C-alpha cells in the first residue's frame, strides 16, 4: 500500500528550494561569459522574483506565525523555523547581489562608457540639466509629507521608493513664521518618471543619475526655510497575496476589485533602506511598520535592483547584449493560404519563442475574427497584456456578429486589474464573458474556433502550456498545438460548456482536466510504468515542469524509482523531491535549465513499455494545479509531433552549458564540461532546429557565431 505522503526527511522545504532556484538566476548575473547587460538584466530578474516572493510566500509565513500555527510543514519545519532560515538565506544572497553590482558590474559598465553618477560627480552642465529637469518635470509631482503630532506617519505604498529627510528649521518670525516639522517623507515619482535619468555626455558615453538623487539634490526647493540634516531612500514590500473568499451571492468582479484595494494596505514584510539611516529613524520605522529583525534589509546605496530593467531597456548597445534570436515562421503555416487550411491537413507543434507567436497564435485568432465562415470562438484568458491583439480580435469578432465566449480569470495574481479592464471592454463589445469558476481558478490554455465548411461544421483547436500573452511569449519557452482532430474538438466543446454553463461533460476522449482527472490520470500512468518495470519492459518517465511540490505525487515517484523506473526530471524552479538518495530515489535525476528564456512548458512523457505517450499540460505538480485549478492536459497523438517534443526534452537533459544538476540535499551545481558529454546549450540548439525547419538562412551575421561557440 502506497503512503499518502513521504516522510518529512524525504522532502525539501518549498521556500528554501525556491530560493535555490533564484540563486541559480543570480549565478547567471555572476557569469562572466554572459554579455554585460544580460548580467544586469539577470540582477533585475533576481530582485523582481524576490519582490513577489516576499509579497506572497514570506507574507504567507508571517500570517501563519501571527495565527499561532506551530504545526510543521511537509518537511518537518515550523513556520517560525522556515522564516528564520528564509531570512538568513535571503540576507546572504542580498549581500552577494550588492557585492556583485558594486564590485564587478558597475566598474565594468564604467569601462564600457556607462556610468551611474553620484550628485557630487556631475559637471556644471550636467548639474544645470538636472536642475532644469527637476524644476520642469519633477517639482510639480513631488508631495512632501510631514511627520509630527499633527501629521501621522504616512502609509508607504507597496514597492514605492521614498526619501526620508530629517529637517532643521531656520529661525523665522512675524509673517514668515510657520509650523515646523523635523521629519518628512517624500515619495519618488517612479511610476511616471524613469528611475535612471540620462544626462548629457560626450559621444560614446552613457551617463545616468538615479531619480532619488535628482530629488535629493533639490530638496531645498521643496523645504524652503529648512536645512536638510540627512536624507535616505527606503522601500517597503507589503503582503500582496489575494486570498479571495468567494461568496456565491456576490459578484466576483466586485469581490476581486475590493481585494485589490486592500492589497495596498497589506502588512509590511520587508524594509529596504540605505545604510546610514540614523538608528532613531530606524527604530521609529520598526515601530510604525511593526517590523521584526528578519524584515530589515539595508542596502549599499541602491534599493530595488528590479529597476535595472529600465537601464537595460535604455541602452541600445547590441555588443553588450545577447545576439538576436528573432522568432521564426512556422513552416506549415507559411506554406498554406490560411491557418485553417494548414491545421486541417495535420497537427502542428508550436515552439515559442523560437517560432513566432504573432504569426501563429495571434494570426489564428485574427483570421477567425475576420473569416466570414467562422461562426464562434471560445477561449480562456489568464494573463492579458494591456494592448493584447488577441483580446482585440475577440472584441472585433463579437462586433461582427460572431458568437464569442471568453473565460477571463480575474484572479490571475498581479494581473487582476488588466484582466478586469479587458473583461469590461469585451462585455461591452458583446462577448460572453465568464469570470472563471467560483471554486477554482481557470488556468488551462485553450482556444476553439468553430467554422462552417462545405462538408459541415469543423472545429479547430489551439492548446498550450503558456498564456495568450504576446509579451511573455517572447520571454518564456512554451509549447502549443494546433489540431483539427474530431475528438479534440468534441472534448474542447464539452470543456467550454463546463466552464461557461457548469454542465457535466461526458467522458472526454483525449483531454485530461484538473481538478477531476489530472491527478488520477498521472497516478495511473506512474503505476503503469511501475508494472512495466516489474515485468522487465522499458520503463521511463521524463517530467518537465516549473515546480514539483505535491508530497503525494513525490511519494509516487519515489515508489516508481524503487521499482526500477528511470525518472528524469526537468524542474525550472521549486523541487521538493530529493533525487539520487540510495534506497529512496537512486533512479531519479533532476536537472534545472536557467538561460535567456524562462522555461515554462509542462511536459509529461511515459515510455509505456515501448508504446510511448507524451502529454503537454498547463499545470505543474503542485497541489493547487492538481486539485484546486482548472487545468488542461492533452496527448500528442501525432508521432512526428511527439518525437519533436521528446527530442527537445533529451536536449535539455544533456545541456552542459546551462543545465544544473540537483543534489539530494537541495543544492544545485553546474554539470561542468565532462569529456564524455558534448558541449551543448539546449535553448540555442532548439533555435537552430527551428531555423533549419523554417528554411530561413540569413538572420544576422552574429547569430551563427554565437551558436557555433555554445553548441
Amino acid at each position: 500500500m502506497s503512503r499518502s505522503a513521504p516522510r518529512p526527511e524525504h522532502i525539501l522545504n518549498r521556500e528554501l528550494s525556491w530560493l535555490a532556484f533564484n540563486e541559480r538566476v543570480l549565478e547567471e548575473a555572476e557569469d562572466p561569459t554572459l554579455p554585460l547587460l544580460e548580467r544586469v538584466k539577470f540582477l533585475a530578474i533576481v530582485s523582481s522574483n524576490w519582490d513577489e516572493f516576499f509579497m506572497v510566500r514570506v507574507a504567507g509565513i508571517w500570517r501563519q506565525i501571527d495565527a499561532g500555527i506551530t504545526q510543521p510543514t511537509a518537511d518537518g519545519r515550523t513556520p517560525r523555523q522556515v522564516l528564520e532560515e528564509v531570512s538568513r538565506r535571503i540576507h546572504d544572497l542580498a549581500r552577494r547581489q550588492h557585492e556583485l553590482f558594486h564590485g564587478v558590474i558597475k566598474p565594468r559598465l564604467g569601462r564600457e562608457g556607462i556610468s551611474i553618477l553620484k550628485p557630487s560627480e556631475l559637471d556644471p552642465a550636467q548639474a544645470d540639466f538636472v536642475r532644469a529637469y527637476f524644476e520642469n518635470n519633477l517639482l510639480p509631482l513631488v508631495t512632501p509629507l510631514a511627520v509630527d503630532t499633527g501629521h501621522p506617519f504616512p502609509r508607504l505604498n507597496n514597492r514605492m521608493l521614498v526619501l526620508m529627510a530629517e529637517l532643521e528649521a531656520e529661525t523665522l518670525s512675524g509673517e514668515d513664521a510657520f509650523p515646523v516639522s523635523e521629519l518628512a517623507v517624500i515619495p519618488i515619482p517612479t511610476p511616471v518618471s524613469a528611475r535612471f535619468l540620462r544626462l548629457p555626455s560626450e559621444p560614446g558615453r552613457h551617463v545616468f543619475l538615479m531619480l532619488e538623487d535628482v530629488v535629493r539634490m533639490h530638496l531645498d526647493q521643496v523645504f524652503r526655510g529648512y536645512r536638510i540634516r540627512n536624507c535616505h531612500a527606503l522601500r517597503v514590500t507589503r503582503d500582496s497575496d489575494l486570498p479571495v473568499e468567494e461568496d456565491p451571492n456576490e459578484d466576483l468582479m466586485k469581490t476581486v476589485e475590493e481585494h485589490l484595494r486592500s492589497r495596498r494596505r497589506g502588512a509590511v514584510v520587508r524594509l529596504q533602506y540605505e545604510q546610514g539611516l540614523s538608528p532613531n529613524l530606524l527604530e521609529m520605522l520598526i515601530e510604525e511598520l511593526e517590523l521584526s529583525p528578519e524584515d530589515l534589509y539595508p542596502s549599499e546605496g541602491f534599493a530595488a535592483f528590479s529597476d535595472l530593467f529600465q537601464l537595460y531597456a535604455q541602452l541600445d548597445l547590441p555588443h553588450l547584449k545577447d545576439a538576436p534570436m528573432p522568432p521564426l515562421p512556422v513552416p506549415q503555416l507559411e506554406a498554406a493560404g490560411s491557418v485553417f487550411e494548414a491545421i486541417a491537413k495535420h497537427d502542428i507543434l508550436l515552439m515559442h519563442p523560437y517560432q513566432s507567436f504573432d504569426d501563429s497564435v495571434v494570426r489564428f485568432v485574427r483570421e477567425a475574427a475576420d473569416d466570414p465562415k467562422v461562426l464562434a470562438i471560445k477561449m480562456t484568458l489568464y494573463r492579458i497584456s494591456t494592448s493584447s491583439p488577441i483580446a482585440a480580435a475577440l472584441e472585433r469578432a463579437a462586433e461582427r456578429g460572431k458568437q464569442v465566449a471568453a473565460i477571463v480569470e480575474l484572479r490571475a495574481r498581479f494581473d487582476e486589474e488588466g484582466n478586469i479592464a479587458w473583461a469590461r471592454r469585451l462585455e461591452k463589445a458583446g462577448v460572453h464573458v465568464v469570470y472563471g469558476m467560483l471554486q477554482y481558478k481557470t488556468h488551462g490554455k485553450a482556444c476553439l474556433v468553430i467554422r462552417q465548411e462545405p462538408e459541415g461544421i469543423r472545429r479547430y483547436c489551439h492548446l498550450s502550456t503558456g498564456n495568450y500573452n504576446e509579451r511573455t511569449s517572447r520571454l518564456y519557452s512554451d509549447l502549443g498545438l494546433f489540431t483539427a482532430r474530431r475528438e479534440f474538438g468534441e472534448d474542447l466543446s464539452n470543456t467550454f460548456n463546463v466552464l461557461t454553463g457548469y454542465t457535466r461533460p461526458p467522458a472526454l476522449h483525449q483531454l485530461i482536466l484538473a481538478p477531476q482527472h489530472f491527478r488520477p490520470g498521472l497516478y495511473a500512468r506512474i503505476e503503469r510504468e511501475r508494472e512495466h518495470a516489474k515485468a522487465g519492459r522499458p520503463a521511463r518517465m521524463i517530467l518537465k515542469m516549473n515546480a514539483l511540490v505535491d508530497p503525494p505525487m513525490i511519494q509516487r515517484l519515489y515508489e516508481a524509482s524503487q521499482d526500477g523506473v528511470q525518472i528524469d526530471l526537468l524542474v525550472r524552479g521549486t523541487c521538493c523531491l530529493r533525487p539520487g538518495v540510495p534506497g529512496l530515489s537512486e533512479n531519479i535525476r533532476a536537472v534545472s535549465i536557467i538561460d535567456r528564456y524562462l522555461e515554462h512548458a509542462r511536459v509529461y512523457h511515459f515510455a509505456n513499455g515501448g508504446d510511448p505517450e507524451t502529454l503537454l499540460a498547463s499545470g505543474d505538480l503542485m497541489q493547487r494545479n492538481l486539485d484546486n485549478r482548472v487545468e488542461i492536459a492533452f496527448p500528442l497523438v501525432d508521432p512526428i509531433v511527439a518525437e519533436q517534443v521528446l527530442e527537445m526534452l533529451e536536449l535539455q537533459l544533456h545541456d552542459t552549458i546551462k543545465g544544473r544538476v540537483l543534489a539530494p540535499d537541495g543544492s544545485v551545481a553546474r554539470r561542468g564540461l565532462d569529456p564524455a558529454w558534448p558541449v551543448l546549450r539546449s535553448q540555442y540548439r532548439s533555435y537552430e532546429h527551428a531555423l533549419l525547419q523554417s528554411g530561413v538562412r540569413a538572420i544576422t551575421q552574429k547569430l551563427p557565431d554565437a551558436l557555433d561557440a555554445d553548441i
Side-chain angles (χ1 to χ4, degrees), residues 259-560:
H259 279 276
L260 283 173
R261 287 190 290 271
S262 69
R263 172 180 285 172
R264 298 185 181 92
R265 300 191 297 270
V268 175
V269 292
R270 178 177 58 168
L271 171 66
Q272 296 169 283
Y273 59 94
E274 289 179 335
Q275 288 181 340
L277 186 70
S278 73
N280 290 339
L281 287 186
L282 183 58
E283 285 299 320
M284 184 195 70
L285 288 167
I286 291 171
E287 181 178 350
E288 290 287 345
L289 303 176
E290 299 180 348
L291 300 173
S292 294
E294 296 91 348
D295 306 325
L296 305 178
Y297 287 82
S299 63
E300 297 176 16
F302 187 20
F305 279 93
S306 53
D307 288 338
L308 287 171
F309 282 123
Q310 297 180 26
L311 184 66
Y312 178 92
Q314 289 187 64
L315 292 167
D316 184 18
L317 299 171
H319 68 288
L320 297 181
K321 296 185 178 183
D322 280 331
M325 290 172 62
L328 300 165
V330 179
Q332 300 95 320
L333 300 180
E334 287 290 294
S338 78
V339 67
F340 303 112
E341 176 188 332
I343 300 171
K345 292 179 180 178
H346 40 61
D347 292 355
I348 301 173
L349 179 70
L350 305 174
M351 303 180 70
H352 309 302
Y354 314 112
Q355 293 177 321
S356 172
F357 183 84
D358 291 342
D359 294 342
S360 55
V361 180
V362 174
R363 176 186 171 188
F364 176 64
V365 182
R366 280 177 168 166
E367 282 195 22
D370 298 334
D371 188 341
K373 295 180 181 178
V374 169
L375 306 176
I377 307 171
K378 302 181 181 184
M379 194 169 194
T380 61
L381 295 171
Y382 189 72
R383 296 192 188 278
I384 317 174
S385 68
T386 304
S387 56
S388 170
I390 286 178
L394 296 180
E395 182 181 42
R396 187 168 68 253
E399 291 170 345
R400 294 184 176 185
K402 302 181 190 298
Q403 293 293 312
V404 182
I407 291 83
V408 180
E409 181 49 70
L410 301 183
R411 296 158 295 182
R413 183 179 288 151
F414 304 125
D415 282 291
E416 300 94 345
E417 293 180 76
N419 288 7
I420 287 172
W422 266 114
R424 287 192 167 131
R425 181 171 162 180
L426 291 172
E427 283 182 322
K428 187 176 180 181
V431 174
H432 302 295
V433 177
V434 177
Y435 306 139
M437 305 181 77
L438 282 178
Q439 301 93 335
Y440 310 111
K441 283 186 180 181
T442 301
H443 191 249
K445 329 293 183 184
C447 180
L448 174 66
V449 173
I450 301 162
R451 193 170 186 262
Q452 179 67 58
E453 299 187 352
E455 62 274 16
I457 295 286
R458 188 160 193 182
R459 285 172 281 209
Y460 294 84
C461 310
H462 175 261
L463 298 153
S464 178
T465 67
N467 297 304
Y468 290 110
N469 186 306
E470 77 287 350
R471 185 185 65 83
T472 58
S473 73
R474 296 188 288 269
L475 306 173
Y476 295 4
S477 172
D478 270 305
L479 298 171
L481 178 73
F482 280 137
T483 183
R485 293 178 185 269
R486 186 181 186 88
E487 290 186 339
F488 279 79
E490 290 179 359
D491 284 357
L492 209 45
S493 287
N494 287 323
T495 298
F496 277 108
N497 288 342
V498 172
L499 295 175
T500 60
Y502 287 3
T503 64
R504 293 187 177 274
L508 299 179
H509 304 292
Q510 298 289 358
L511 303 191
I512 305 167
L513 300 185
Q516 296 90 348
H517 306 298
F518 191 28
R519 182 188 289 276
L522 291 176
Y523 279 175
R525 287 163 174 79
I526 293 171
E527 291 302 311
R528 187 178 65 189
E529 293 303 315
R530 294 179 67 184
E531 293 303 316
H532 286 310
K534 292 174 184 177
R537 294 186 290 269
R540 185 191 182 199
M541 294 183 281
I542 306 176
L543 310 179
K544 174 178 171 62
M545 69 218 79
N546 298 329
L548 173 55
V549 171
D550 184 68
M553 187 66 69
I554 290 172
Q555 180 61 26
R556 298 287 180 130
L557 296 178
Y558 283 154
E559 291 168 352

Side-chain angles (χ1 to χ4, degrees), residues 38 579 663 671:
E38 298 303 326
R671 178 176 278 124

Side-chain angles (χ1 to χ4, degrees), residues 142-145 147 153-165 183-191 195 211-213 215-216 219 223 230-238 270-274 277 281 284-285 289 299 302-304 307:
V142 171
T143 304
L145 304 171
V147 180
F153 193 83
R155 185 103 187 153
L156 304 181
N157 288 343
N158 183 37
R159 293 188 290 177
M160 173 170 279
L161 192 68
V162 303
L163 293 175
M164 179 170 282
L183 183 64
V185 173
I186 307 99
I188 304 298
T190 49
R195 178 85 183 276
L211 197 64
E212 60 266 37
D213 284 333
V215 176
R216 190 157 23 199
L219 284 181
F223 296 102
N230 60 67
C231 182
H232 292 86
L234 55 92
R235 179 179 186 258
V236 300
T237 313
R238 292 185 178 274
R270 178 177 58 168
L271 171 66
Q272 296 169 283
Y273 59 94
E274 289 179 335
L277 186 70
L281 287 186
M284 184 195 70
L285 288 167
L289 303 176
S299 63
F302 187 20
D307 288 338

Side-chain angles (χ1 to χ4, degrees), residues 625-647:
N625 302 99
L626 295 165
D627 302 330
N628 298 316
R629 289 186 175 185
V630 176
E631 303 281 6
I632 301 176
F634 53 96
L636 299 177
V637 178
D638 187 316
I640 296 176
V641 169
E643 184 61 32
Q644 287 178 283
V645 173
L646 182 59
E647 181 181 33

Side-chain angles (χ1 to χ4, degrees), residues 574-596:
T574 305
C575 180
C576 295
L577 178 147
R578 294 184 183 271
V581 177
L584 177 71
S585 58
E586 65 264 36
N587 290 317
I588 303 177
R589 63 170 174 162
V591 174
S592 178
I593 305 289
I594 304 291
D595 204 346
R596 66 188 287 172

Side-chain angles (χ1 to χ4, degrees), residues 211-254:
L211 197 64
E212 60 266 37
D213 284 333
V214 175
V215 176
R216 190 157 23 199
M217 286 174 62
H218 300 92
L219 284 181
D220 58 337
Q221 296 189 43
V222 178
F223 296 102
R224 297 184 184 278
Y226 285 90
R227 185 175 69 86
I228 312 299
R229 292 166 52 193
N230 60 67
C231 182
H232 292 86
L234 55 92
R235 179 179 186 258
V236 300
T237 313
R238 292 185 178 274
D239 181 347
S240 297
D241 203 5
L242 194 65
V244 179
E245 297 179 6
E246 297 119 0
D247 183 336
N249 298 315
E250 292 184 0
D251 180 271
L252 181 57
M253 182 179 286
K254 290 181 180 179

